[in-house]
Amino acid sequence: MTGSSETPAAVPQPADPAGDSWRGSVPATSATDLENLLGTGLASAQESLARDGGLLPFALVVENDGAVRLVAVTPADAADGGDFDADGMISDLTELLRQHRDEFRAAAIVCDITLLDEDSDAIHVAAEHQDGSVFAAVLPYGNGPGTNGLEFGELSADTSEPAVWVDRTEPVV
């Protein structure tokens, strides 16, 4: 996709986050961490798409003190200047997050995906908390008709499984 000089639109939010069924099923602090990762991930991805015309996978973490930090890896084939292996980058990010998971309480992996049913690209954010809570969302996007700017669709929830705390069998209290 081609980039745009326009500033990304505001990060879409569910109409009533308090009314979301997932939010009521997780501790309030976990829900806040996951929502923070979702919002930061979507905003960062929108900015990258607008600035660079593409999106390399990246991760965000909520450190134990509450600070949010960006985590990135370099594509293995970056020196070639060609296409990069997004799946390989996601695997590398996941492994890096697993190795350092005691340093943070929540993590999210943000990447670009293709929605085959809708024939659209989308930003995908998969967030999880050390207590076992998970939340994922997709935000479709494409070039606006007759413009060079990006248009974003409606944010929707997606299914997700733990990847960082995959071996966690009991919630942390």
Side-chain angles (χ1 to χ4, degrees):
M1 304 203 87
T2 58
S4 167
S5 60
E6 295 179 19
T7 303
V11 176
Q13 297 295 323
D16 179 14
D20 291 337
S21 60
W22 76 271
R23 198 174 208 298
S25 67
V26 301
T29 55
S30 299
T32 299
D33 285 343
L34 296 176
E35 287 174 341
N36 192 9
L37 290 172
L38 174 66
T40 303
L42 288 172
S44 297
Q46 287 176 309
E47 182 179 314
S48 177
L49 287 167
R51 181 187 62 236
D52 303 327
L55 175 63
L56 291 175
F58 65 93
L60 296 165
V61 298
V62 177
E63 295 181 330
N64 292 323
D65 67 0
V68 175
R69 183 172 51 100
L70 174 73
V71 179
V73 296
T74 303
D77 43 8
D80 298 341
D83 290 335
F84 60 91
D85 179 8
D87 290 336
M89 290 180 70
I90 292 168
S91 293
D92 291 347
L93 282 166
T94 302
E95 185 57 33
L96 184 63
L97 294 173
R98 284 180 186 158
Q99 291 173 4
H100 295 276
R101 68 186 186 178
D102 292 338
E103 299 171 21
F104 50 88
R105 63 184 188 220
I109 294 181
V110 182
C111 61
D112 197 358
I113 63 170
T114 300
L115 301 174
L116 298 176
D117 291 345
E118 299 175 27
D119 192 29
S120 171
D121 291 319
I123 299 167
H124 186 266
V125 181
E128 65 183 281
H129 201 277
Q130 68 181 357
D131 70 4
S133 304
V134 295
F135 182 77
V138 293
L139 179 64
Y141 71 89
N143 287 324
T147 71
N148 289 332
L150 292 174
E151 288 188 0
F152 293 90
E154 187 174 320
L155 182 66
S156 62
D158 194 21
T159 59
S160 185
E161 296 290 325
V164 176
W165 289 279
V166 69
D167 55 348
R168 182 79 32 121
T169 57
E170 304 225 354
V172 174
V173 182

